[in-house]
Amino acid sequence: MEEDPTLQLRVFDLNCWAIRYLSKRRQERVQLIGDTLRREGFDLVLLQEVWSEGDYSVLKETLGSCYPFSHYFRSGVIGSGLCVFSRFPILDTFLYQYSLNGYPYMLQHGDWFCGKSVGLVVIKISGIVFNIYVTHLHAEYCREKDAYLPHRVVQAWELAQFIRHTSKAADVVLLGGDLNMHPEDVGIRLLRACTGLRDAFAEAQRFEGCEAGCTLVPDNCFTVKTELQPFPLGIRIDYILYKAVSDFAVKCEELRTTTGTAPGKDIPYSDHEAVMATLHVRRQSRTPGPTLGTAEPALADAVNEARTEVRVGLQAARRRRYASGRMALLALLLLLLQAAAGLGSLAGWAAGQPLPKLSFCLLASLAAGALLLAAGLHLFHTREVKMLQGTEEEMRLALRALQGRLGAA
Amino acid sequence: MEEDPTLQLRVFDLNCWAIRYLSKRRQERVQLIGDTLRREGFDLVLLQEVWSEGDYSVLKETLGSCYPFSHYFRSGVIGSGLCVFSRFPILDTFLYQYSLNGYPYMLQHGDWFCGKSVGLVVIKISGIVFNIYVTHLHAEYCREKDAYLPHRVVQAWELAQFIRHTSKAADVVLLGGDLNMHPEDVGIRLLRACTGLRDAFAEAQRFEGCEAGCTLVPDNCFTVKTELQPFPLGIRIDYILYKAVSDFAVKCEELRTTTGTAPGKDIPYSDHEAVMATLHVRRQSRTPGPTLGTAEPALADAVNEARTEVRVGLQAARRRRYASGRMALLALLLLLLQAAAGLGSLAGWAAGQPLPKLSFCLLASLAAGALLLAAGLHLFHTREVKMLQGTEEEMRLALRALQGRLGAA
């Protein structure tokens, strides 16, 4: 069989850190990112944390001539922050919002308000169908005591399921984004084992950039140095992952990252480093699928470990649901008691009001406020429990199916 | 090419109306449904409104011997209410929650609390891959002034996108559920035009059951007669839709509905009638796709009409966002004024407190409560605006692509 010529695809991925009012020198950096992208002429640009649609419009205007096709994914209260610019027509798009994404009362973290999602765009180049996914998972604020780990594991699981179910007709699958997980973390292993995606950094024939491919590095003037203290080189949490299905082969010829300050400027593009991959795609004769005995045990391990994390999260969510339910009940009881006392004193049953009117009213307002708040929290954590239970059950079924296949082999 | 033998698939679909504490004679009916399903021996059972996991467990136990495979989809605060029982192994499952689903403060309707979703189960029978979808869309409480129409249209759009993107490797696609839309409604036309799904009622070679295939009929003792007044025969809102992709053909040999009271009992199974289809699936030589000029103009019309509804919803959502934002601002202003007055009187600047302490405290509590509530509502409606905008944009792009294709033809 004669092989087709190779198709080269240059992909750019960056978490832009463009939060209105909060990110330093945002507008300057957005312009800088736009200018660089226009100059460099990639085929495909995957961006995260473009929270403001105004910034997206600036980029769209700057990039219109080189990247005539683009899509901004709207989601959550603030927006998903995800967008894609492409040299090739975008044929189709779809958005999936993760079912769990932190807590609305964790205002200092704010992930909940963004409606973290995965966006899919479908493009076709020389007859090859590419399913391109861009995503941003919940941030990790404290690695030692990571309260968001179960939510992030659920997100990694849903991301894997979404890619699996939507990419069945694609020739090439590509995922770019800030996964907020180190390469050896359970979520990454789960994602890779479920989908068969390969890590561009690990597969690259040539690499140039920050040591160990790190994308959050101490050399970047915008990173918080104390957070990176346990990791002197930095950490790698931004990825380009890919795989070819059916009759195609993809290899990563080159991977690059930016290295802090942008060339000729006094600032970096973002607090993250950009990841840039040059991929080669070519048609090939059909290769047999991965043999049982290499991929499936790794998958079983990852699902098992992830399930443990989800269970830990489930216990914590149940405790929170119980605590908020109890608080709501106590507040309701207090309100009822007060209502009874109030009615009693109105009817003249009691000798006198045991509390002065002012304290009585203050206490009633407090109880009503506590009741509303606790009831809202109880609903929120009931939903959290439900989603964690659902994921745990899905993982249990997946494990059973896997064990059946492994046992039969 | 020799044709394979025909595969027969008997499908049962029912909105079970099993709401704990609210639905009449719930446990008796759940047992009745279980007994009937066991006796009738369908291949596939798609249920909605099984809100309680306890009821699902009862059904699972009753049906274990005839339907060894089942799945319950967890979602929202209460649960999606969706479950599937199958004679054939369930190979894979996936859940998609609709991004818009009513309002949490509409407690009397309660749809928001259910986290309305579409569930997918994948099964394989004689080498044929079936993607089976089960769903339940937002209810219609008042047809003349349907405040939920834009949300239901968004749900129909997301349902269509979800089916399109996840069914690319399926041989046969089947959707069952309570769509809460009449056959000629814009959402149904949108769904059918986007996905190519065919209506089992319209295609059936034989039909037996309620007139015009209605599934909410005045003869059912549990239906609210006043709601059905404009429709003397009842309405058809529960569907079985199907299509074959690639090299298969499906036809609906028979469609039946239940007709009110269950045989030999004094009650019906539910307030909805069940829909039962007998489908015949057979392999065939590849047929050409639908020619341009029949399907695409209908799709363009449906998308156009749906987009108008989404726009109407967007305007209303913007008004609600504005009103809640203004209320939050006013409450904040009142609180600040009170704080200033309080501080002033503490510092002895004012001659005296303009309000008695009690009224002052009551007003402050009221303002704080109003601020919290209005801020929450503002966030909710900001998200609503975002999702409606996103859908409107997706529809705009779809229309442009369609017009391009129609223009080129």
Side-chain angles (χ1 to χ4, degrees):
Chain A
M1 179 183 150
E2 202 185 332
E3 286 186 349
D4 282 5
T6 299
L7 173 84
Q8 181 183 278
L9 193 75
R10 292 178 62 227
V11 185
F12 178 94
D13 171 83
L14 173 65
N15 175 328
C16 296
W17 191 47
I19 314 169
R20 261 204 297 195
Y21 315 120
L22 287 178
S23 299
K24 286 178 196 151
R25 302 174 73 171
R26 190 188 100 243
Q27 284 164 313
E28 196 182 341
R29 287 189 295 105
V30 167
Q31 201 55 62
L32 181 61
I33 292 168
D35 292 342
T36 305
L37 288 176
R38 194 174 51 186
R39 205 176 47 240
E40 292 266 343
F42 291 94
D43 296 299
L44 199 64
V45 174
L46 311 173
L47 302 180
Q48 303 98 53
E49 287 205 7
V50 181
W51 301 122
S52 137
E53 290 194 36
D55 287 341
Y56 171 69
S57 302
V58 167
L59 284 171
K60 199 172 166 176
E61 200 163 310
T62 312
L63 301 178
S65 55
C66 326
Y67 307 85
F69 308 97
S70 66
H71 190 78
Y72 185 78
F73 291 98
R74 286 185 181 90
S75 155
V77 178
I78 301 174
S80 72
L82 307 173
C83 59
V84 175
F85 290 90
S86 164
R87 275 216 306 130
F88 304 94
I90 292 175
L91 304 180
D92 215 341
T93 66
F94 193 41
L95 182 77
Y96 178 90
Q97 289 186 43
Y98 299 121
S99 64
L100 291 176
N101 185 33
Y103 306 96
Y105 50 81
M106 297 302 273
L107 292 173
Q108 73 277 30
H109 293 160
D111 293 63
W112 185 83
F113 294 91
C114 312
K116 295 268 169 87
S117 308
V118 46
L120 158 64
V121 302
V122 180
I123 61 174
K124 203 180 205 172
I125 312 171
S126 314
I128 307 173
V129 177
F130 287 79
N131 268 30
I132 315 285
Y133 299 87
V134 57
T135 194
H136 186 188
L137 303 196
H138 197 293
E140 180 186 79
Y141 294 97
C142 169
R143 196 161 173 83
E144 287 67 47
K145 217 178 161 181
D146 182 9
Y148 300 112
L149 181 57
H151 284 207
R152 202 178 309 105
V153 169
V154 170
Q155 292 185 342
W157 174 256
E158 290 180 355
L159 173 59
Q161 302 310 314
F162 181 72
I163 293 177
R164 265 195 333 104
H165 282 283
T166 54
S167 66
K168 285 183 177 162
D171 298 314
V172 177
V173 175
L174 190 78
L175 164 66
D178 174 0
L179 302 182
N180 272 310
M181 302 185 283
H182 297 205
E184 73 285 0
D185 284 358
V186 58
I188 285 279
R189 282 184 284 124
L190 182 72
L191 171 67
R192 292 191 51 197
C194 280
T195 56
L197 285 167
R198 283 146 63 197
D199 183 353
F201 173 74
E203 306 276 334
Q205 292 179 331
R206 274 200 314 279
F207 173 74
E208 196 182 305
C210 297
E211 213 167 327
C214 291
T215 57
L216 218 56
V217 295
D219 282 349
N220 184 307
C221 67
F222 294 133
T223 54
V224 184
K225 302 299 170 285
T226 48
E227 282 177 10
L228 289 177
Q229 231 161 25
F231 308 100
L233 291 178
I235 56 178
R236 185 156 79 91
I237 58 173
D238 298 86
Y239 297 83
I240 290 176
L241 304 173
Y242 62 83
K243 73 167 176 179
V245 281
S246 67
D247 307 334
F248 292 87
V250 188
K251 70 173 191 225
C252 179
E253 202 199 35
E254 186 189 55
L255 192 85
R256 286 187 298 135
T257 73
T258 53
T259 50
T261 315
K265 299 280 169 181
D266 66 330
I267 48 164
Y269 297 101
S270 164
D271 61 346
H272 285 241
E273 301 306 322
V275 184
M276 294 158 282
T278 305
L279 302 177
H280 282 186
V281 183
R282 63 177 173 78
R283 206 178 284 270
Q284 65 168 17
S285 42
R286 197 176 278 266
T287 52
T291 52
L292 195 88
T294 57
E296 306 226 330
L299 175 56
D301 280 353
V303 177
N304 234 328
E305 209 175 311
R307 195 178 163 209
T308 307
E309 289 303 340
V310 171
R311 276 177 168 168
V312 170
L314 186 55
Q315 279 173 354
R318 279 191 176 128
R319 277 196 301 273
R320 282 189 289 264
R321 180 179 62 173
Y322 175 76
S324 53
R326 194 181 47 185
M327 191 174 146
L329 215 67
L330 284 174
L332 184 68
L333 214 69
L334 184 60
L335 264 181
L336 289 175
L337 271 173
Q338 285 205 284
L343 280 173
S345 85
L346 272 179
W349 296 333
Q353 184 62 296
L355 276 174
K357 264 189 190 161
L358 179 65
S359 314
F360 188 84
C361 281
L362 269 179
L363 198 62
S365 315
L366 215 72
L371 176 61
L372 261 180
L373 213 73
L377 278 179
H378 186 69
L379 288 181
F380 184 88
H381 291 303
T382 301
R383 189 182 164 279
E384 187 189 9
V385 165
K386 208 132 235 165
M387 299 318 305
L388 286 163
Q389 272 178 332
T391 307
E392 207 266 341
E393 170 76 7
E394 279 171 33
M395 287 175 169
R396 194 182 62 78
L397 289 176
L399 268 177
R400 205 171 56 184
L402 260 172
Q403 275 152 4
R405 286 212 293 281
L406 284 170
Chain B
M1 179 186 150
E2 203 185 333
E3 285 188 350
D4 282 6
T6 299
L7 174 86
Q8 181 183 279
L9 194 76
R10 293 179 61 227
V11 186
F12 177 94
D13 171 82
L14 175 64
N15 176 329
C16 296
W17 191 47
I19 314 168
R20 262 204 295 196
Y21 316 120
L22 287 179
S23 299
K24 287 177 197 153
R25 302 175 72 172
R26 190 188 100 245
Q27 283 164 315
E28 197 183 340
R29 288 189 295 103
V30 167
Q31 199 56 60
L32 181 61
I33 292 169
D35 292 342
T36 306
L37 288 175
R38 196 173 49 185
R39 206 176 44 241
E40 292 266 344
F42 291 93
D43 295 301
L44 199 64
V45 174
L46 311 174
L47 303 180
Q48 302 98 54
E49 286 206 6
V50 182
W51 301 121
S52 136
E53 289 195 37
D55 287 341
Y56 171 68
S57 301
V58 167
L59 285 171
K60 200 173 165 177
E61 201 164 307
T62 311
L63 302 178
S65 55
C66 325
Y67 307 84
F69 308 97
S70 66
H71 191 78
Y72 185 79
F73 291 99
R74 286 187 181 87
S75 156
V77 178
I78 299 173
S80 72
L82 307 173
C83 58
V84 175
F85 291 90
S86 165
R87 275 213 310 128
F88 303 95
I90 292 175
L91 304 178
D92 214 340
T93 67
F94 193 41
L95 182 77
Y96 179 90
Q97 289 185 44
Y98 299 121
S99 64
L100 291 176
N101 184 35
Y103 306 97
Y105 49 82
M106 296 303 271
L107 292 174
Q108 74 277 31
H109 294 161
D111 293 64
W112 185 84
F113 293 91
C114 312
K116 295 270 169 84
S117 309
V118 46
L120 159 64
V121 302
V122 181
I123 62 174
K124 203 181 206 171
I125 313 171
S126 313
I128 307 172
V129 177
F130 287 79
N131 268 30
I132 317 285
Y133 299 86
V134 56
T135 194
H136 185 188
L137 304 196
H138 198 294
E140 180 187 78
Y141 295 97
C142 169
R143 195 163 174 81
E144 286 67 48
K145 217 177 160 182
D146 183 10
Y148 300 112
L149 181 57
H151 284 207
R152 203 178 310 104
V153 168
V154 170
Q155 292 186 344
W157 174 255
E158 290 180 355
L159 173 59
Q161 302 310 314
F162 181 72
I163 293 177
R164 266 196 332 102
H165 282 283
T166 55
S167 66
K168 285 184 177 162
D171 298 314
V172 178
V173 175
L174 190 78
L175 165 65
D178 174 1
L179 302 182
N180 272 311
M181 302 186 285
H182 297 207
E184 72 284 3
D185 284 358
V186 57
I188 285 279
R189 284 185 282 125
L190 182 72
L191 172 67
R192 291 191 51 196
C194 279
T195 57
L197 284 166
R198 285 147 62 197
D199 183 353
F201 173 74
E203 306 275 336
Q205 294 179 331
R206 274 200 312 279
F207 174 74
E208 195 182 305
C210 297
E211 214 168 327
C214 291
T215 57
L216 218 56
V217 295
D219 282 348
N220 185 307
C221 67
F222 294 133
T223 54
V224 185
K225 303 298 171 285
T226 48
E227 282 177 11
L228 289 177
Q229 232 159 23
F231 309 100
L233 293 178
I235 55 178
R236 185 157 76 92
I237 59 174
D238 299 85
Y239 297 83
I240 290 175
L241 305 172
Y242 62 83
K243 73 167 176 180
V245 281
S246 67
D247 307 334
F248 292 88
V250 188
K251 70 172 192 230
C252 180
E253 204 200 34
E254 188 189 54
L255 192 83
R256 286 188 297 136
T257 73
T258 52
T259 50
T261 315
K265 299 279 169 183
D266 66 329
I267 48 165
Y269 297 101
S270 164
D271 62 346
H272 285 243
E273 301 306 321
V275 185
M276 294 159 283
T278 304
L279 302 176
H280 282 185
V281 182
R282 63 177 173 76
R283 205 177 284 270
Q284 66 169 17
S285 42
R286 197 178 280 265
T287 52
T291 52
L292 195 88
T294 57
E296 307 224 330
L299 175 57
D301 280 353
V303 177
N304 234 328
E305 210 175 309
R307 194 178 163 210
T308 307
E309 289 303 340
V310 171
R311 275 177 170 167
V312 171
L314 185 56
Q315 278 173 354
R318 277 192 178 125
R319 278 197 300 273
R320 282 189 288 266
R321 181 180 61 172
Y322 174 75
S324 52
R326 194 182 48 185
M327 191 174 147
L329 215 67
L330 284 175
L332 183 69
L333 214 67
L334 184 60
L335 263 182
L336 289 175
L337 270 174
Q338 285 205 286
L343 281 173
S345 85
L346 272 180
W349 294 334
Q353 185 63 295
L355 276 175
K357 263 188 191 161
L358 180 64
S359 315
F360 188 83
C361 280
L362 269 180
L363 198 63
S365 313
L366 215 70
L371 176 60
L372 261 179
L373 213 72
L377 279 179
H378 186 69
L379 288 182
F380 184 88
H381 291 302
T382 302
R383 190 182 164 278
E384 188 189 10
V385 165
K386 207 131 237 166
M387 299 318 306
L388 286 163
Q389 272 179 332
T391 307
E392 206 265 341
E393 170 75 8
E394 279 171 31
M395 288 175 169
R396 195 182 61 79
L397 289 176
L399 269 176
R400 205 171 56 185
L402 261 171
Q403 277 153 1
R405 286 213 293 281
L406 284 170

